[in-house]
Amino acid sequence: MKEFTKIDFYTQMFFLIIGPVAFIMGGLSGLVLFYFIVGIPQLISFLVKLFLGIKKSVWYITYGIVVIPFWITVMILFKEKILNDFFGYILIAALLYSPVMAGLYVYDCYKTYKFYK
């Protein structure tokens, strides 16, 4: 558990630093890169922690409640290729809150890492 939290924290920090660099270098397409570069590793980390015996914090649960619907919407859009008002609202809202949630998730990884250290 201790080793996983250490690797997870440093991995999340790496991608949180690489994401804005991609945004700066890529312009408007870099914005999409930012969301996926930061978001996909966080989603994988979230799902791994979901099935491990790691203590679930309030920030972890909040992250799951507000970010998982975004990923479900993205999967529906890729599979069904439909975009109605409901899915559009979720995606627009995610553009606003995802960077904040990404920072909070990395902070939660840090607190978990310090707890096991």
Side-chain angles (χ1 to χ4, degrees):
M1 214 59 68
K2 181 179 176 181
E3 192 65 26
F4 171 77
T5 58
K6 177 182 175 184
I7 293 169
D8 185 41
F9 169 66
Y10 286 114
T11 302
Q12 298 307 322
M13 281 299 297
F14 173 75
F15 285 109
L16 192 63
I17 292 168
I18 296 298
V21 171
F23 171 65
I24 292 168
M25 297 181 94
L28 187 56
S29 63
L31 180 63
V32 175
L33 282 174
F34 167 77
Y35 282 99
F36 284 97
I37 287 172
V38 174
I40 290 174
Q42 286 188 354
L43 177 65
I44 293 168
S45 170
F46 176 84
L47 294 174
V48 168
K49 286 181 181 178
L50 185 65
F51 296 107
L52 289 178
I54 294 176
K55 180 182 161 223
K56 311 299 190 276
S57 69
V58 173
W59 291 117
Y60 175 85
I61 295 168
T62 304
Y63 178 86
I65 291 170
V66 298
V67 173
I68 295 300
F70 166 77
W71 287 108
I72 292 170
T73 302
V74 169
M75 289 190 312
I76 289 171
L77 290 175
F78 279 127
K79 184 171 178 357
E80 302 295 328
K81 297 188 181 17
I82 52 171
L83 180 63
N84 59 28
D85 288 344
F86 177 71
F87 292 136
Y89 293 142
I90 290 175
L91 293 176
I92 296 299
L95 286 173
L96 302 174
Y97 68 72
S98 288
V100 173
M101 293 308 297
L104 290 174
Y105 188 78
V106 172
Y107 177 71
D108 182 59
C109 289
Y110 172 76
K111 288 190 67 132
T112 306
Y113 169 59
K114 288 297 180 185
F115 175 77
Y116 284 110
K117 190 173 179 182

